[in-house]
Amino acid sequence: MALRVLLISLYLAGGVPTLSQPGVRVDKSVQPTSWGRVRGQVYDASNSAPLAGARVVIRSDGAFAETGKTVAITDAMGRYVAQALLGRMSQNFDLGRALNSGLIGVLAGGAMNRTKRIDVNRLEMMVTAPGYKPFVGICPCRSLDAEQFAVIMEPIVLVREGATEASAAASGWGVVQLADAAVEPAIARPGKEILLRASVRVPQGAARDLEVVCVSETWRSKRLAMTAQDDAGLAVFTARVTAPKVKSSLAVPVTFVLGKSPLDVLDAGPIKRLVQVVLSDEELPVAEKRLRAFEVGQAGDGASSLSLWTEICADPRATEQDYLYLADAAEARQDYATAAAALQRALALAGDRQPTELVARHAEALVRSGEAPQVVASYGSMVAEAKSRDPRKRPSPSLLVAIGESYLSLGDLAGAARVREALDSLPTTSPGAMRFRSSLRVAETAAAVSAEPNNPVREVDYGRALLDVGRYEEAVAVLRHALERDPDLTSVRSDLDYAAQQLLGREEANSSDGDADLEAARQRVMVGEGKDRRKSRDFEAWHALAILLYKRWDRLQERGDAGAQQALRECLDALTDALKCARSGARVDEGLYAPYAGFVTSRTVAIAGYAYDRAASDFALFQGLLALSARPDDTFGWFGLGSALAELGEAEYAGRALERARRTWGGSPQFGYVEAVVAEQEGETDKAIRLLREVTKLNPRHAEAHLRLAALLTDGGDAVGAAAALAAYAEYFGTRMGTTVGEGEAR
């Protein structure tokens, strides 16, 4: 113990390196300052083969470096590894962990808390190769890995000089594709051999490093081996398994997935198949019906699927998995009472082995079917387990939300508050948890008004809670009543202006720079009155303020007004707060704990991405504004602004930003696509269709352009044109998309 106290004293005296020492900057803003790995691949458009020797440069500090860590050369498989500023990594000494660790554990780093946070979701890149058109543009991240502090980029496809197409980023595309899978036979007897087979499209030479896996409860994870590959690149992978010797019939869903791959994978979702083991011929009719139900469900025939699974589950020999499939089919038809009954039966068949996700799913189905008392009776006691040190005992956030919603529907605010406290102890910012917290706030403020009906401050709190959940008509009535009681509540007038704006859908008044709207938005990001006034944690409020401030900056800088700089600073501050409120849930690794040594590895919190799609656009807006604050003529910055604003539906301002970027980006398929989005938002459908046709001609691997074009043509009654657009999409991306029966939302 004395050694431990001495070590901690040395730390406090500066004997152990800390973030506050020279050379390490402590900064709580959202501007990335930590370097991480960037991985990706480059392909030749003419044959979809990996392109070796391509030079990849990631833009940093407003330039493309000639040498350094932001520069990489692709290897024989077209792969590159470079570095970029991805977010922030920080650490701090945890006194509590130190007191629960021995000297060895503290020296090994067990007393440290580490945070890894990835902010970026796209990077500006330049890719060149002799004999090919260069790619210079914005490449989206395909995946974020905060634990490894790395990102994987979407593939870059280069076209040869003289080609009519343009080199481009191919979001969602991959050269490796799981084409088909089969189980032969689908109905077998115990102890008999079963063949698992998958067909994969993969270039010659890459198949040997490809991992194809079949996952099931019976055979766990079974790796398939390549047995053949034809000249067209279609490789066959197989494995043989033995049907288990069981005492009763068994239906086993198996999932074929691609594991490790040396090349980018076209992820159209896994392929699911059903294999059954029957003991006698009498069981064959039910097995065949089960197979048919499974297949029609995958084909999208929801009504037939529900009918067949209902028939199957009426048989006393129905299995746990049968009830899960029945629940899937019922939920797809919004028959939540049937889903809840099916899930309850599945839990009964599971016995002591009750998966956490299945429990949560049952609770959610009960909530949707109006059975809140049963949720509280069955699962209310699990709220206390949220703070358990054993992660296996902690309820999932989705289960807690279902319990909390049940307490709310029963009017038990104390119970709902306990759920909120439990959620606060878990690393989650899921949309469901956020909605529950907002609903609870409405209920609590309403109860406060009932308890103190003559207190206008309580009415203001209630009105603002109603605003936060979009109940504007009710909010107006409550806030007006509060203002009549106490005219000195001047901030309420801004809340009323905001509510009126939402109800009437009126546009910001350009002549006045939207002063009233802006003031209302400023009031919205603050909660409480007097000394209790503090910043809101509502992403939507901060996002709305940031957009209004951007619009003001845009107008002021267009006029050359001196106030533009102040508006820019305010906009960046608002975006910073919006992004802080929009962080996605964190993955927490408490570290390795060993007897006598205590914690021997650090506690690591990893955060990647955002809980809201608009927050990702807000970050792009933030980065674009930062670039322009340093270099006002930076066309990368202007194009980043235009792209982000188009994603946010701000067509007018997106168009102005695009005009500033046109001299550099005009003619690029990326630029053309954003222009098409803006044209569609402004009601110029013909222009949008023309631009999208040009984009798909320049970049036939632009998935969003194909799908948006098909949608516009469908709306315009051009069924032939829409079919052609979808066929062009299918040529590169296939048609198998989305989840299949057996994959419920909660799982």
Side-chain angles (χ1 to χ4, degrees):
M1 181 66 186
L3 284 173
R4 193 180 307 170
V5 173
L6 175 61
L7 183 63
I8 294 170
S9 300
L10 287 172
Y11 165 78
L12 296 174
V16 178
T18 74
L19 282 177
S20 60
Q21 289 193 344
V24 182
R25 179 184 175 193
V26 179
D27 190 345
K28 296 182 179 180
S29 78
V30 297
Q31 184 178 1
T33 57
S34 298
W35 293 89
R37 283 177 294 178
V38 179
R39 296 173 176 171
Q41 289 180 294
V42 181
Y43 298 90
D44 183 335
S46 64
N47 55 11
S48 297
L51 184 59
R55 185 172 182 271
V56 180
V57 187
I58 300 170
R59 190 170 183 255
S60 180
D61 294 328
F64 292 106
E66 291 296 325
T67 58
K69 53 190 173 184
T70 60
V71 181
I73 304 297
T74 59
D75 64 12
M77 298 300 291
R79 296 172 295 201
Y80 63 86
V81 179
Q83 293 189 48
L85 295 173
L86 302 182
R88 290 180 178 274
M89 289 194 291
S90 60
Q91 64 181 16
N92 67 284
F93 186 82
D94 189 325
L95 183 59
R97 289 177 68 89
L99 294 174
N100 284 283
S101 300
L103 176 60
I104 295 175
V106 174
L107 291 175
M112 302 302 293
N113 287 324
R114 304 183 192 277
T115 299
K116 298 179 179 182
R117 191 190 78 218
I118 290 184
D119 295 312
V120 304
N121 51 77
R122 62 196 86 181
L123 291 170
E124 296 164 352
M125 299 174 60
M126 178 171 64
V127 183
T128 57
Y132 292 84
K133 293 182 179 180
F135 167 77
V136 182
I138 298 173
C139 184
C141 299
R142 173 165 284 195
S143 64
L144 313 176
D145 187 341
E147 287 93 340
Q148 298 296 322
F149 209 66
V151 297
I152 296 178
M153 309 305 296
E154 294 286 5
I156 301 294
V157 180
L158 299 186
V159 301
R160 296 182 183 276
E161 292 177 351
T164 57
E165 298 175 10
S167 296
S171 298
W173 175 78
V175 70
V176 178
Q177 179 184 8
L178 183 59
D180 196 9
V183 178
E184 301 168 351
I187 303 174
R189 295 297 177 91
K192 296 298 182 181
E193 186 178 84
I194 295 174
L195 177 68
L196 307 174
R197 178 170 54 82
S199 300
V200 183
R201 299 192 184 281
V202 55
Q204 297 282 351
R208 63 178 181 274
D209 296 321
L210 185 64
E211 185 179 85
V212 183
V213 180
C214 183
V215 182
S216 68
E217 289 188 6
T218 300
W219 301 291
R220 303 300 178 187
S221 180
K222 184 70 175 179
R223 184 169 180 176
L224 281 62
M226 189 182 76
T227 56
Q229 184 175 22
D230 60 24
D231 294 338
L234 188 66
V236 177
F237 291 77
T238 61
R240 297 185 183 275
V241 295
T242 302
K245 295 181 179 180
V246 293
K247 296 181 179 180
S248 60
S249 63
L250 177 70
V252 182
V254 294
T255 303
F256 293 83
V257 296
L258 293 177
K260 297 178 181 179
S261 171
L263 303 173
D264 282 298
V265 173
L266 176 60
D267 187 10
I271 295 180
K272 298 181 77 73
R273 295 290 183 256
L274 190 68
V275 60
Q276 300 179 73
V277 181
V278 298
L279 303 179
S280 65
D281 291 342
E282 288 75 17
E283 295 175 341
L284 285 176
V286 175
E288 290 170 352
K289 183 180 291 186
R290 185 180 290 119
L291 187 60
R292 188 163 67 256
F294 184 90
E295 291 172 347
V296 299
Q298 284 198 312
D301 187 349
S304 297
S305 175
L306 179 57
S307 176
L308 286 167
W309 285 117
T310 301
E311 290 181 27
I312 291 167
C313 290
D315 190 304
R317 293 170 294 183
T319 66
E320 175 188 340
Q321 187 64 50
D322 290 335
Y323 285 101
L324 291 178
Y325 282 126
L326 173 59
D328 285 343
E331 286 178 338
R333 307 288 292 177
Q334 298 184 344
D335 183 354
Y336 298 115
T338 298
L343 290 167
Q344 185 169 8
R345 182 59 182 153
L347 284 168
L349 291 173
D352 294 335
R353 181 193 56 78
Q354 295 191 350
T356 303
E357 63 273 13
L358 180 55
V359 173
R361 192 177 171 199
H362 179 229
E364 290 172 340
L366 287 173
V367 171
R368 292 171 179 171
S369 60
E371 297 293 337
Q374 187 177 341
V375 175
V376 173
S378 300
Y379 302 117
S381 61
M382 299 182 70
V383 175
E385 298 291 340
K387 296 183 180 180
S388 172
R389 291 189 176 184
D390 186 351
R392 295 170 297 180
K393 294 183 179 180
R394 296 175 196 157
S396 67
S398 54
L399 174 58
L400 289 175
V401 169
I403 298 170
E405 290 175 344
S406 299
Y407 276 124
L408 280 178
S409 67
L410 296 173
D412 187 346
L413 299 188
R418 289 195 298 272
V419 173
R420 179 177 56 198
E421 182 182 354
L423 279 169
D424 290 342
S425 69
L426 298 177
T428 180
T429 54
S430 69
M434 293 177 182
R435 286 192 299 270
F436 164 68
R437 290 187 178 101
S438 296
S439 298
L440 176 55
R441 182 178 168 228
V442 170
E444 288 176 330
T445 53
V449 170
S450 298
E452 299 181 61
N454 297 319
N455 188 334
V457 174
R458 295 286 178 262
E459 286 187 301
V460 171
D461 290 341
Y462 178 41
R464 286 173 176 162
L466 290 170
L467 284 178
D468 287 343
V469 296
R471 293 164 59 178
Y472 302 115
E473 295 90 342
E474 299 169 76
V476 167
V478 172
L479 292 172
R480 281 178 177 168
H481 191 261
L483 195 58
E484 290 170 1
R485 287 176 176 272
D486 186 355
D488 291 334
L489 295 172
T490 55
S491 62
V492 175
R493 299 184 189 277
S494 297
D495 293 319
L496 287 169
D497 287 340
Y498 174 81
Q501 177 185 349
Q502 301 305 309
L503 288 170
L504 300 176
R506 63 186 176 85
E507 294 295 328
E508 186 179 358
N510 290 336
S511 59
S512 65
D513 283 346
D515 289 335
D517 295 341
L518 194 52
E519 181 58 29
R522 286 192 174 110
Q523 294 296 331
R524 282 259 297 156
V525 298
M526 304 301 294
V527 296
E529 295 288 343
K531 293 182 180 179
D532 294 331
R533 197 144 174 85
R534 63 191 183 280
K535 284 186 175 182
S536 167
R537 297 177 61 187
D538 181 6
F539 163 75
E540 298 294 345
W542 284 107
H543 168 78
L545 174 59
I547 295 302
L548 288 175
L549 287 167
Y550 175 86
K551 292 177 179 179
R552 166 164 284 192
W553 169 77
D554 181 85
R555 290 190 300 273
L556 292 177
Q557 64 89 25
E558 188 76 15
R559 300 200 300 256
D561 194 302
Q565 195 64 25
Q566 176 63 25
L568 176 60
R569 285 195 294 269
E570 290 183 18
C571 181
L572 288 170
D573 289 342
L575 285 169
T576 297
D577 283 302
L579 293 169
K580 288 179 180 178
C581 294
R583 295 285 173 209
S584 67
R587 293 174 60 90
V588 180
D589 180 356
E590 295 292 346
L592 180 63
Y593 188 88
Y596 306 109
F599 289 105
V600 293
T601 60
S602 65
R603 179 180 187 268
T604 302
V605 178
I607 308 169
Y610 302 96
Y612 306 94
D613 289 339
R614 283 190 293 175
S617 301
D618 282 352
F619 184 73
L621 195 67
F622 178 85
Q623 286 190 303
L625 287 172
L626 277 182
L628 291 171
S629 66
R631 297 169 298 279
D633 60 346
D634 185 353
T635 54
F636 272 88
W638 284 112
F639 182 57
L641 290 187
S643 300
L645 291 164
E647 292 167 359
L648 294 169
E650 298 291 345
E652 176 187 351
Y653 294 90
R656 286 215 285 269
L658 291 177
E659 285 304 314
R660 301 287 294 270
R662 186 178 297 280
R663 62 183 173 84
T664 298
W665 291 88
S668 159
Q670 284 191 326
F671 186 87
Y673 177 73
V674 179
E675 271 196 309
V677 172
V678 171
E680 181 186 350
Q681 291 172 354
E682 292 182 332
E684 299 181 70
T685 305
D686 290 342
K687 179 181 178 181
I689 290 174
R690 174 178 58 79
L691 288 169
L692 289 171
R693 289 191 189 280
E694 293 175 2
V695 170
T696 55
K697 183 178 179 180
L698 287 172
N699 179 14
R701 293 173 181 80
H702 200 305
E704 297 91 344
H706 286 298
L707 295 177
R708 189 177 289 269
L709 176 59
L712 289 177
L713 292 171
T714 299
D715 292 342
D718 185 355
V720 175
L726 290 175
Y729 170 87
E731 182 179 349
Y732 291 96
F733 296 92
T735 57
R736 180 169 50 84
M737 300 171 63
T739 59
T740 59
V741 170
E743 298 176 292
E745 289 182 4
R747 293 184 282 168

